[in-house]
């Protein structure tokens, strides 16, 4: 499907014209067609097959989590601009009359909404650390969790690769420093194999997260230099600037220390994860193989729907 | 699995002890295990098979929608207490320092969050009316859409059947008054067939939505008297008070008028929907057939995973 440098709306409009996505009436909130969902499900199952021998425990959160989990992750320190929290109406009938009057006058009526105890999820793995920590020390040969979540990041954009909500599927490892490095290396290989099976041209490069503010710039540089984050890059909505469709992250002991995760020898656990962007990989498939699933290469179809 | 009248926490605690659900650290925000997700997927596919001959268009939204769609639905008029809207941080570095200081002091830091252009979804079908309306008049023999959404309703409860976020899968019909009634009758039959295939004891009863305030009481009575809403009731977390696990709704021309939906003869379209509560049906399966999928009756297993 077509794409143009610096104009992600060209690929978006092609997807809308082909009915692969439907305009949801707001930036980054497209509805997915049946064809899109069939491909997305195929990508999810391909990752699940890569993990067949991993003995990973499945933890599937709803698309929201307790606000205090968000507080504890420290996400608001590093990426405050991306997070979403949920507000609700807690008023009485008089308050409700004021709300309805605002609505009827075509005014902004959200001023009466109050912060609730719930937030959106910025990354799938955040839900798992507390779960694993509360079960006590992790075995020396480590533990793995499979988690998929609808994540929210507030960065409205015409780029279909930058949706407000998207599915991130991860395999998270908790264990020794060597175990975490082996997990990183395993997923570096797996994400390349996955891209090859799906016949998507790719490169793998060191990367950094979009930390907020001036101190954030220093954190980003350090992450890059230590090669703690490696991304699978594919040209999707832009033929010049590629999109990160999967990543492998080594957290060293940062998550272990934050969540009180230990290994059986009493040391702070190291963690690492392999993460697939289900919606971005699906978009990459449409970009490279066209809008008709039935016309995709036989090998790709076999990898998605064996 | 065990349940006790008036004490939904008994069933919840049994699910947690068996590892079917995991405590997500907040009321109504449990994580789903692999077994739970396998069963939920089976329910989804059973409904999809019931719809095999329907020629329904698939529209799958992310778990959020434009705030102005929520405004337009009129949901805040009828159920303001249940809706959720999303707030974000839009400040600069100075604002961020204040936010981090609040967090570090253990204070409520959400005061700096500002309303965004995005809301949660209260019911799956709301996303579809605008989509269908913008394509012009509906054919006289009607149109069907298949939609599943993660819905949000703010009613924190120890009852696992009353989660803050849950999956609702619907088949929505748009067409003539007779077409809408036929759709209602078809789904009345289908939801009974589905419960029978899953060997879940059920009744089907007229019901009403939980409208807000005094005027709401009148609306609820009218809905009940006209039998516009019929629910599939199953005993899940309470052996005395059953839970609505699916419903069939006749909207008459209320949605058609609100969204400017017409049939080809220029009349306001009538709409109706069959809706399955995927998470509640899954909970009903665990309640009646036990925590081990492999021990479920052969007929149930065949219906879920043919």
């Amino acid at each position: 499907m077509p794409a143009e440098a610096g104009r992600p709306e060209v690929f978006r409009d092609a997807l809308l014209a082909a009915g692969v996505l439907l305009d949801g009436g707001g930036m980054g909130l497209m509805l997915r067609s049946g064809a899109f969902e069939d491909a997305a499900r195929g990508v999810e199952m391909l990752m699940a097959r890569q993990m067949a021998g991993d003995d990973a425990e499945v933890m599937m959160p709803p698309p929201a989590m307790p606000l205090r989990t968000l507080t504890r992750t420290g996400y608001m320190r590093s990426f405050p601009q991306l997070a979403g929290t949920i507000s609700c109406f807690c008023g009485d009938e008089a308050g409700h009359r004021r709300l309805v009057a605002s609505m009827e006058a075509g005014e902004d009526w959200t001023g009466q909404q109050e912060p609730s105890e719930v937030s959106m999820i910025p990354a799938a793995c955040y839900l798992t650390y507390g779960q694993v920590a509360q079960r006590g020390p992790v075995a020396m040969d480590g533990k793995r969790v499979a988690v998929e979540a609808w994540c929210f990041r507030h960065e409205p954009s015409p780029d279909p690769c930058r949706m407000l909500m998207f599915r991130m599927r991860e395999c998270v490892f908790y264990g020794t420093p060597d175990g975490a490095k082996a997990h990183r290396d395993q997923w570096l290989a797996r994400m390349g194999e996955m891209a090859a099976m799906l016949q998507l041209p790719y490169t793998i490069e060191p990367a950094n997260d979009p930390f907020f503010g001036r101190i954030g710039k220093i954190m980003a540089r350090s992450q890059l230099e230590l090669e703690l984050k490696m991304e699978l890059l594919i040209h999707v909505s832009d033929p010049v600037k590629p999109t990160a469709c999967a990543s492998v992250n080594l957290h060293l002991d940062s998550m272990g220390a934050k969540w009180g995760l230990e290994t059986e020898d009493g040391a702070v656990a190291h963690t690492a994860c392999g993460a697939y962007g289900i919606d971005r990989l699906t978009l990459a498939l449409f970009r490279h193989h066209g809008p008709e699933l039935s016309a995709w290469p036989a090998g790709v179809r076999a990898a998605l729907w064996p």
Side-chain angles (χ1 to χ4, degrees), chain A:
Chain A
M1 298 184 71
E4 215 174 278
R7 297 189 60 216
E9 62 272 24
V10 170
F11 180 50
R12 179 199 62 194
D13 292 346
L15 291 162
L16 293 172
V20 174
L21 293 176
L22 306 171
D23 184 355
M27 233 185 238
L29 292 168
M30 273 87 81
L31 280 69
R32 282 73 165 167
S33 66
F36 190 95
E37 287 302 294
D38 287 347
R41 181 75 186 162
V43 174
E44 289 174 337
M45 291 301 95
L46 196 163
M47 185 178 183
R49 285 200 308 285
Q50 286 190 314
M51 294 175 60
D54 287 358
D55 193 28
E57 178 178 347
V58 176
M59 295 183 187
M60 294 290 170
M65 66 182 188
L67 183 67
R68 67 166 177 282
T69 305
L70 180 66
T71 304
R72 187 152 179 200
T73 59
Y75 193 84
M76 294 307 290
R77 189 183 300 272
S78 300
F79 316 103
Q81 77 282 18
L82 298 178
T85 55
I86 300 180
S87 295
C88 294
F89 173 79
C90 307
D92 55 10
E93 292 210 30
H96 186 223
R97 279 194 294 276
R98 284 195 299 276
L99 188 160
V100 171
S102 294
M103 262 178 48
E104 284 178 352
E107 298 165 1
D108 175 11
W109 54 265
T110 53
Q112 295 195 53
Q113 296 288 95
E114 293 173 31
S116 79
E117 76 289 9
V118 189
S119 89
M120 307 305 278
I121 298 174
C125 61
Y126 286 153
L127 276 295
T128 69
Y129 301 109
Q131 290 289 333
V132 175
Q134 75 190 11
R135 304 207 193 151
V138 169
M140 294 308 288
D141 60 348
K143 177 178 173 66
R144 284 182 178 79
V145 165
V147 57
E148 180 172 328
W150 277 97
C151 299
F152 177 90
R153 295 193 188 162
H154 193 245
E155 38 183 357
S157 161
D159 187 349
C161 290
R162 205 163 283 287
M163 294 184 180
L164 286 194
M165 296 206 73
F166 54 91
R167 284 160 284 193
M168 187 191 296
R169 195 175 182 100
E170 297 193 44
C171 180
V172 194
F173 175 90
Y174 324 78
T176 63
D178 283 348
K181 282 196 205 92
H183 188 77
R184 191 260 302 264
D185 293 342
Q186 182 182 52
W187 280 97
L188 267 177
R190 282 181 179 176
M191 72 184 185
E193 285 159 15
M194 184 269 309
M197 286 174 79
L198 296 180
Q199 302 184 22
L200 298 169
Y202 69 95
T203 56
I204 293 176
E205 308 279 352
N208 62 268
D209 288 309
F211 294 99
F212 182 79
R214 275 169 302 167
I215 295 171
K217 289 211 173 67
I218 300 166
M219 295 173 74
R221 198 158 55 225
S222 154
Q223 189 184 28
L224 208 54
E225 279 167 7
L226 294 170
E227 297 201 351
L228 296 181
K229 185 182 197 75
M230 301 290 288
E231 288 180 339
L232 178 85
L233 297 172
I234 301 173
H235 286 103
V236 188
S237 43
D238 192 308
V240 174
K241 208 171 157 287
T243 297
C245 292
S247 72
V248 177
N249 299 273
L250 194 57
H251 312 126
L252 304 177
D253 66 355
S254 64
M255 292 297 171
K258 197 171 277 169
W259 294 91
L261 265 166
E262 291 186 355
T263 39
E264 278 175 336
D265 59 356
V268 176
H270 279 227
T271 62
C273 64
Y276 285 10
I278 301 299
D279 292 276
R280 285 185 174 179
L281 286 166
T282 303
L283 288 165
L285 285 163
F286 283 102
R287 168 81 169 83
H288 289 274
H289 304 315
E292 292 299 332
L293 302 188
S294 57
W296 289 7
V300 173
R301 294 177 53 81
L304 291 170
W305 309 293

